[in-house]
Amino acid sequence: MSFITRGFTGRGRERDPALPPGQSLVEDWPVLSAGPTPEIDTADWEFTVVTENGRHSWTWDEMQALGVEDVTVDIHCVTHWSKLGMAWRGVPLDKIFEEVETSHDYVMAHSYGGYTTNVPLDELLDGQAWIAFEADGEPLGAEHGGPARLLVPHLYFWKSAKWVRGLVTMPDDDPGFWEQNGYHLHGDPWKEERYW
Ligand SMILES: Nc1nc2c(c(=O)[nH]1)N[C@H]1C(S)=C(S)[C@@H](COP(=O)(O)O)O[C@H]1N2
Ligand SMILES: [Mo]
């Protein structure tokens, strides 16, 4: 892994203010997967939201039709690397929650392959999260979660579930895969909510 020193090299230089505490910049894009990489065809891909009121699914084309956005965001991995100014394309979660209703406050994201991660619902809304399918102008490679992954850049990157297949709303904040294994329930990089 090549750590690129930007803004915090020479003596007396300021540390990059976009870099949360304890993070270092990378220019490459490391791959971190807990298990094997699933291969999913967009023709078979489906995204399902389950709430206390029922379930709602979207095909690949239906998801695109909800409205695609381009965003430039920074990503921060709990293993101390950050990548700044990445260009992403995806559908904001706001569009999905215009079509489903829930009184639940939390969400478990589920991936093809079995990975899970928990997020407060209000942190997926108001332009804070996307179902992303392109990064840096290219379709997301399978190793990075393609054809589609969750993108929640204001939380540590383990919350950005690769190969996402759906969300299940929950009344309480139950831990997902890494959260059951010692990662913080919330994961704010600016508060260094790494482990608990
Ligand atoms: N489905 C799934 N999503 C996942 C993971 C995983 O193992 N499986 N790893 C998480 C972790 S710990 C990180 S840091 C990022 C890594 O994404 P990348 O491989 O695209 O850099 O994906 C997150 N999403
Ligand atoms: Mo991670």
Side-chain angles (χ1 to χ4, degrees):
M1 197 183 297
S2 63
F3 286 89
I4 305 301
T5 47
R6 169 181 136 179
F8 60 101
T9 44
R11 220 175 275 260
R13 282 254 216 99
E14 290 286 309
R15 203 166 173 283
D16 194 318
L19 211 49
Q23 296 296 110
S24 299
L25 283 174
V26 292
E27 290 282 315
D28 57 350
W29 187 1
V31 172
L32 285 100
S33 304
T37 296
E39 298 285 337
I40 306 116
D41 207 309
T42 55
D44 306 322
W45 187 87
E46 198 174 47
F47 188 83
T48 301
V49 175
V50 180
T51 72
E52 74 277 29
N53 300 312
R55 55 196 297 137
H56 193 141
S57 294
W58 296 262
T59 64
W60 184 261
D61 291 342
E62 287 166 347
M63 177 65 63
Q64 310 290 313
L66 290 179
V68 169
E69 251 177 39
D70 288 306
V71 289
T72 300
V73 297
D74 304 336
I75 60 175
H76 310 292
C77 177
V78 71
T79 63
H80 299 276
W81 58 266
S82 291
K83 239 174 122 50
L84 302 184
M86 282 190 87
W88 290 81
R89 173 170 288 184
V91 172
L93 273 282
D94 298 286
K95 298 288 188 188
I96 290 160
F97 282 92
E98 279 171 16
E99 304 203 353
V100 297
E101 272 204 18
T102 181
S103 62
H104 290 163
D105 290 333
Y106 298 92
V107 157
M108 188 70 79
H110 289 259
S111 295
Y112 291 98
Y115 185 84
T116 55
T117 189
N118 57 297
V119 188
L121 176 55
D122 65 357
E123 297 199 30
L124 296 178
L125 304 178
D126 297 324
Q128 295 184 91
W130 295 265
I131 304 298
F133 40 80
E134 281 186 26
D136 291 333
E138 304 277 348
L140 265 187
E143 74 279 15
H144 287 301
R149 76 184 293 165
L150 192 59
L151 175 64
V152 193
H154 75 284
L155 298 176
Y156 280 123
F157 206 35
W158 87 75
K159 297 289 187 181
S160 293
K162 304 200 276 191
W163 317 294
V164 72
R165 67 180 305 175
L167 307 173
V168 179
T169 65
M170 315 183 283
D172 301 307
D173 197 8
D174 295 330
F177 174 78
W178 280 120
E179 294 84 3
Q180 287 172 40
N181 287 285
Y183 282 21
H184 199 279
L185 263 187
H186 182 232
D188 181 340
W190 295 97
K191 297 179 183 161
E192 286 212 83
E193 294 173 341
R194 296 177 192 273
Y195 311 104
W196 64 315

